[in-house]
């Protein structure tokens, strides 16, 4: 049995970032064990670093606005339906913004010292508005974040069409989040892993974790299909599969569950967009290779990774409404990814009471790419006993426990789902 200081279970973008950050000083023996189950979220991401967008519920695209518009239409002109922008709590907002600020230096470091390029692009994110309901919703978002106004810019109809000539002439303007950029999600995941490998981390890829060994209340080894790996600390970065690892390691449930998101990617196209767009129907992001990603749904369907033509059609129609030129596109592929959801949509970070040698780095829902940088940094601080860059209390596992240490409530997202 090989012995390591750290064994990270999960090599998606979170586990890979943790491995990279822990390995920078090259003073720990570290292993990453990873198996790509169908629906791995890191391979289904659009790669948006949309700190403002995700924190205000706009980064996902679809999803919450149609119900709002329908309610408003049904209420009549004299009605006043309640409008509740999906604003994330301040601890997440702060975490997302801090993580976003790390990316320029992270990009330079990985390029300069490790020769890996994750295609960091400064694009911004615009919420494109088509009617009074979109505009009203955007205004309510702006009103809900008075302390973030320096990151919000209103774009007139003329300016929108000057900046994005291919956007439909029916668009009436946009709300832009400056600083919300994008990366290539595959490249970021691989960049973290390659840099970690160069720093001495051993990668056990295409290897399933089959169990966890405890002695008393301490985790001492991770069992894999190819043998045991002894560890001083196990880190659970299992994505949508994190609960199984938690049950093996702690005997306690973990409120992390799969949230399905369906995505379309086009063939390579001429440059259509200068930035990323989100609307009441979808988000649209064109990558540096010309492919256009269109997403995404938000569905609780267990570990189902099949695609549904009904939703694919909705996403495609939403994209063509925004960018008429996309009516000529050929779809290259469609897929469904499984985001690691948590009941309050916040990550679960740090220790579990009563269990030594075990840490959580899971439950990042749809923001794994965005928050991977700060998560890796913070988990390195936790392992080394350093003061953490962010307060971990709002992200602690204990927020789900009652006074008797039992799980509170059911596993579900506290947001509207289609």
């Amino acid at each position: 049995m090989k012995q390591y200081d750290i064994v990270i279970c999960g090599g998606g973008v979170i586990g890979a970032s943790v491995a990279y950050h822990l390995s920078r000083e090259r003073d720990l023996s570290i292993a990453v064990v990873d198996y790509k189950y169908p629906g791995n979220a890191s391979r289904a991401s659009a790669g948006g670093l949309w700190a403002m967008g995700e924190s205000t519920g706009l980064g996902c695209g679809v999803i919450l606005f149609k119900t709002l518009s329908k309610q408003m239409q049904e209420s009549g002109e004299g009605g006043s339906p309640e409008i509740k922008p999906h604003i994330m709590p301040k601890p997440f907002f702060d975490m997302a913004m801090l993580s976003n600020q790390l990316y320029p230096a992270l990009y330079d470091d990985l390029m300069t010292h490790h020769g890996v390029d994750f295609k960091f692009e400064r694009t911004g994110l615009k919420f494109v508005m088509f009617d009074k309901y979109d505009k009203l919703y955007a205004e309510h978002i702006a009103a809900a974040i008075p302390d973030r106004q320096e990151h919000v810019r209103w774009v007139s109809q003329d300016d929108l069409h000057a900046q994005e000539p291919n956007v439909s002439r029916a668009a009436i303007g946009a709300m832009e989040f400056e600083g919300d950029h994008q990366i290539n999600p595959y490249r970021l995941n691989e960049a973290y892993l390659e840099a970690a490998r160069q720093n001495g981390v051993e990668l056990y890829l295409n290897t399933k974790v089959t169990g966890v060994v405890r002695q008393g209340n301490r985790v001492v080894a991770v069992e894999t299909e190819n043998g045991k790996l002894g560890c001083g600390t196990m880190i659970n970065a299992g994505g949508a599969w994190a609960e199984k690892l938690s049950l093996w390691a702690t005997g306690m449930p973990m409120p992390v569950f799969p949230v399905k998101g369906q995505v379309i990617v086009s063939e390579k196209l001429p440059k259509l967009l200068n930035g990323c767009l989100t609307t009441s129907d979808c988000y649209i992001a064109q990558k540096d290779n010309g492919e256009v990603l269109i997403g995404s749904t938000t569905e609780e369907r267990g570990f189902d990774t099949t695609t549904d033509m009904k939703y694919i059609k909705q996403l495609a129609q939403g994209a063509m409404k925004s960018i008429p030129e996309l009516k000529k596109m050929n779809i290259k592929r469609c897929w469904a990814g499984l985001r690691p959801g948590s009941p309050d949509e916040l990550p679960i970070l740090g220790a579990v009471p009563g269990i030594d040698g075990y840490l959580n780095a899971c439950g990042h829902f749809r923001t794994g790419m965005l928050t991977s940088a700060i998560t890796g940094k913070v988990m390195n601080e936790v392992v080394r006993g350093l003061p953490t860059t962010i307060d971990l209390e709002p992200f602690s596992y204990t927020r789900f426990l009652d006074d008797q240490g039992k799980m509170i409530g059911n596993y579900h997202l506290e947001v509207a789902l289609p």
Side-chain angles (χ1 to χ4, degrees), residues 213-247:
V213 180
R214 270 176 47 187
Q215 292 180 357
N217 67 345
R218 172 172 287 279
V219 171
V220 296
V222 173
E223 295 178 325
T224 79
E225 58 187 341
N226 296 321
K228 293 180 182 179
L229 304 176
C231 61
T233 299
M234 167 191 165
I235 297 178
N236 182 350
W241 295 265
E243 183 172 45
K244 180 179 286 188
L245 294 170
S246 175
L247 289 169

Side-chain angles (χ1 to χ4, degrees), residues 101-122:
Q101 293 167 16
L102 296 175
Y103 274 90
L106 177 65
Y107 179 76
D108 289 343
D109 182 66
L110 289 172
M111 279 287 290
T112 301
H113 298 109
H114 300 283
V116 286
D117 181 1
F118 59 77
K119 303 295 182 180
F120 177 62
E121 297 182 78
R122 298 179 183 272

Side-chain angles (χ1 to χ4, degrees), residues 55-68:
S55 296
T56 58
L58 287 173
C60 239
V62 97
I63 320 227
L64 298 176
F65 309 129
K66 288 182 178 177
T67 300
L68 169 69

